Amino acid sequence: MTIKFKEINVGLGQLMLDPNNYRLDEGQATKTYTNQEVINAQDEIETKLVKENISDLKSSILNNGFLEVDKIVVKVLQNLDDEIPKYLVIEGNRRTSAFKSLISENYESGTQQFKTDFPKELQNKYKSINVILVQGTEEEINNYSQRLMGIRHVSGPKKWGGYQSAKLINDMWATFNIGKHLKYEKIGSFLGIRPKEVKLRHEAYLALLQMKKNPNYSSQASSSLYTLFHEMVSSNKYFKYTWLGWSDEKLEFTANKPLERVYKGILPDDEKKKEINNPAKLRHLAKIVAIKEVREQIESGTCLNDVDYDFDASKRVSKIKSFITFVVKQELEDLPESELNLYRTLSLKLSELISGEDK
């Protein structure tokens, strides 16, 4: 069966919000719902979506009407006992929930009438909304849905946060039966982003999922940590591959003790303070952990801010080397012999000093 599209008019009550909406994902595993469970979960889903800052959408609908230029996309929920068909929203969950919320706020159940100041246009519109119905096999609709999400929310005008786009990439990853690199290229071509970035987002998602599977940290593995995990897989090779033991074959970190040390750093302590609370601090850790003296302190539990090491020493050495290079490149023949000897002596002493520090 080839996927088909059809414009239909439905009532707002026929539109069912998607319980697996990417915006609602907080790091939990995707759950398979029966069609009846989808219907039973509507109040809970709407409450969650209302918390996703839809006040701007509600205000826009109230002032401008429920515009259908950007149509809601749906699929039919099959095998229901209801005589009136129900449709699962594939694209447009925030707009649908915003409209539902407005209707709830302005409809008085006692009198079964709308408030007098609620626009007549919206009173009529909720009874008949023009939507796009997608028809095809479950696999075809699922593939279409993933590509639509990518176009609109990864590289398109209504971008998701990093975690949501990474989860979509992981879902798409499972649909291709080809090699890893080809998967990244294929997904990148669908989403309009470079294969390298697809790879990093996928690895970051899997690294967060790895924390979620760790019984000691699973309850704290929130999607809000995604940016830190993206930094972990994006950092220098020593940090990612040597210290944390990232495996390109297993797609996970294998050095458990250093990994748990990072977990402790990105999670709040007993005083609800975080040692590593932003990507910049994680980037700093990734840079300095290559230094043996620093690494030993970090691994023993020393806080990042309490590490005892002269980080400015390397900067001083770099400046001295730059000065020596400058002296070597200068044409000093025209200088008086006394000044020339001073430059040469200073350059020699500095070279000896650097050699001693390098050892």
Side-chain angles (χ1 to χ4, degrees):
M1 181 177 182
T2 304
I3 198 163
K4 297 179 181 179
F5 306 94
K6 180 181 178 182
E7 288 193 27
I8 61 173
N9 288 316
V10 299
L12 183 62
Q14 292 176 260
L15 297 178
M16 300 293 106
L17 302 169
D18 186 359
N20 280 320
N21 186 292
Y22 283 87
R23 293 185 187 276
L24 302 181
D25 189 289
E26 297 178 348
Q28 71 273 23
T30 300
K31 180 181 175 181
T32 300
Y33 292 83
T34 66
N35 290 342
Q36 190 58 52
E37 285 174 336
V38 169
I39 295 173
N40 295 341
Q42 287 304 293
D43 289 343
E44 179 185 355
I45 303 165
E46 185 175 345
T47 299
K48 289 182 178 180
L49 279 169
V50 166
K51 293 179 181 179
E52 287 292 308
N53 191 22
I54 61 171
S55 57
D56 55 337
L57 276 174
K58 290 171 68 174
S59 178
S60 175
I61 293 171
L62 196 58
N63 293 313
N64 304 308
F66 191 79
L67 304 180
E68 295 176 345
V69 175
D70 195 7
K71 286 186 170 58
I72 291 170
V73 181
V74 303
K75 71 173 183 179
V76 69
L77 288 176
Q78 304 281 3
N79 304 320
L80 293 174
D81 295 333
D82 296 0
E83 293 181 4
I84 301 175
K86 297 288 194 300
Y87 302 90
L88 182 72
V89 177
I90 294 174
E91 169 60 21
N93 278 276
R94 287 183 77 240
R95 282 175 290 147
T96 303
S97 65
F99 197 11
K100 282 176 177 280
S101 180
L102 272 177
I103 295 298
S104 298
E105 291 171 3
N106 290 277
Y107 186 77
E108 298 175 335
S109 56
T111 62
Q112 295 189 343
Q113 292 181 342
F114 284 100
K115 294 179 180 179
T116 55
D117 59 345
F118 191 60
K120 290 290 185 183
E121 179 189 353
L122 293 179
Q123 293 183 35
N124 295 326
K125 175 54 65 178
Y126 97 102
K127 299 176 184 178
S128 180
I129 302 171
N130 190 249
V131 300
I132 302 293
L133 173 64
V134 180
Q135 297 174 301
T137 65
E138 197 64 33
E139 183 180 358
E140 288 173 335
I141 293 175
N142 185 53
N143 289 340
Y144 169 78
S145 176
Q146 289 179 347
R147 296 181 191 187
L148 178 63
M149 298 297 172
I151 292 169
R152 292 183 61 80
H153 302 296
V154 178
S155 56
K158 299 183 178 181
K159 292 186 178 181
W160 284 331
Y163 175 80
Q164 286 74 27
S165 64
K167 185 177 188 301
L168 174 62
I169 287 170
N170 186 64
D171 289 344
M172 295 181 75
W173 172 272
T175 65
F176 297 113
N177 188 25
I178 52 179
K180 289 180 183 178
H181 296 295
L182 289 176
K183 284 188 181 185
Y184 291 135
E185 289 180 6
K186 193 125 182 146
I187 295 171
S189 67
F190 284 141
L191 303 184
I193 56 179
R194 293 177 300 133
K196 181 179 179 181
E197 181 57 29
V198 174
K199 179 176 182 289
L200 290 176
R201 294 189 194 189
H202 185 229
E203 289 178 349
Y205 178 83
L206 294 177
L208 178 55
L209 200 62
Q210 182 179 356
M211 182 183 182
K212 184 71 177 176
K213 293 176 181 177
N214 187 312
N216 297 323
Y217 300 96
S218 60
S219 62
Q220 296 172 283
S222 164
S223 58
S224 63
L225 297 173
Y226 172 80
T227 54
L228 296 177
F229 280 89
H230 192 280
E231 187 62 44
M232 286 168 66
V233 299
S234 306
S235 293
N236 63 70
K237 290 184 177 180
Y238 179 87
F239 179 76
K240 178 180 179 180
Y241 288 99
T242 304
W243 196 55
L244 293 179
W246 178 261
S247 168
D248 285 330
E249 181 180 352
K250 296 180 179 179
L251 294 176
E252 64 180 23
F253 292 113
T254 60
N256 293 328
K257 287 186 177 180
L259 183 60
E260 292 201 2
R261 176 64 184 87
V262 174
Y263 287 169
K264 291 176 182 178
I266 64 178
L267 294 174
D269 58 19
D270 294 337
E271 298 179 356
K272 297 184 178 181
K273 294 180 180 179
K274 292 183 180 181
E275 178 184 357
I276 302 170
N277 57 8
N278 58 58
K281 285 194 175 181
L282 188 56
R283 201 174 304 126
H284 176 62
L285 172 64
K287 180 179 179 181
I288 66 173
V289 79
I291 304 170
K292 181 181 178 183
E293 296 92 324
V294 174
R295 185 169 62 255
E296 290 175 347
Q297 292 181 59
I298 293 293
E299 289 177 345
S300 67
T302 301
C303 179
L304 189 58
N305 294 331
D306 297 331
V307 168
D308 183 17
Y309 188 80
D310 185 1
F311 293 106
D312 291 330
S314 60
K315 295 180 182 178
R316 292 196 296 272
V317 170
S318 178
K319 290 180 180 179
I320 292 171
K321 287 182 177 179
S322 296
F323 173 76
I324 294 172
T325 301
F326 167 77
V327 171
V328 171
K329 289 183 177 179
Q330 297 306 304
E331 295 180 1
L332 304 176
E333 289 81 4
D334 296 334
L335 290 176
E337 187 66 24
S338 59
E339 290 187 28
L340 183 59
N341 288 335
L342 179 61
Y343 270 115
R344 288 171 177 167
T345 301
L346 180 58
S347 178
L348 180 61
K349 291 291 185 183
L350 291 174
S351 297
E352 292 174 352
L353 176 63
I354 292 175
S355 297
E357 288 201 16
D358 285 346
K359 293 177 182 178

